[in-house]
Amino acid sequence: MNIETNQRELKAHIWDRHPDDFYVEPRWCSERLFQVEEFEDFILDPACGLGRIVSSAIDAGYGAFGHDKVKRSEFCLEVHDFLEWWPLEPISTIISNPPFGITREFAEKALKVATNKVALLLPTLWLHGDERSRWLASTPLAKVLILTPRPSMPPGPVIEAGIAPGGGKSDFAWFIWELGHTSAPTVDWLRKKP
């Protein structure tokens, strides 16, 4: 099989689940977030993967750094399992594309650690379901920014191999919590092209 045929097959393939839930969002997802939302400086991405969120934050003028349980890029300053790690200093803002298998635990930890805002890239399915909706209603969720078009988020090794994925099959949104927020969250769209 030649390389071109192999790349076509990989684009169309539904990939096996990555053991660490390491999936990579397109750059535009975080670039657009920083164009429409203001954050305090010193942003942490505790599941930084290839560093796209950290890189976008730096490009937008923020101080940002990343941690992850595996060092996958130069943007990962320290290796930590976020659920087991507790920072010594307060962290103003956490922005991340968390591992899907532990998303609720990840969100709960981020809300304990952050002092200002938390923004997590999550499937819009998080808006559905009785238990999850009740949990969300009990949190300081301020905004949900639905991404359009659907972003494709293949496993990290696909991106590291230089393969451009096809169109996305699942809907995602930025869920943004503001500590102290008490009213109902707003819902809007975050389009790839403004």
Side-chain angles (χ1 to χ4, degrees), residues 110-145:
L111 289 169
K112 287 179 185 173
V113 171
T115 60
N116 183 28
K117 282 187 180 181
V118 172
L120 299 180
L121 186 56
L122 305 174
T124 57
L125 287 173
W126 263 64
L127 295 171
H128 310 283
D130 188 56
E131 182 182 338
R132 210 166 19 223
S133 69
R134 290 176 191 275
W135 178 78
L136 285 170
S138 74
T139 68
L141 182 65
K143 294 179 188 173
V144 177
L145 298 176

Side-chain angles (χ1 to χ4, degrees), residues 44-47 82-87 90-99 102-122 135 139-140 175-179:
L44 168 65
D45 180 354
F82 182 59
L83 297 183
E84 297 177 7
W85 171 76
W86 194 264
I91 296 169
S92 170
T93 304
I94 292 177
I95 303 175
S96 193
N97 175 5
I102 56 169
T103 302
R104 168 86 178 258
E105 297 92 336
F106 200 95
E108 289 172 344
K109 176 75 179 270
L111 289 169
K112 287 179 185 173
V113 171
T115 60
N116 183 28
K117 282 187 180 181
V118 172
L120 299 180
L121 186 56
L122 305 174
W135 178 78
T139 68
F175 286 64
I176 303 170
W177 288 266
E178 295 179 18
L179 282 294

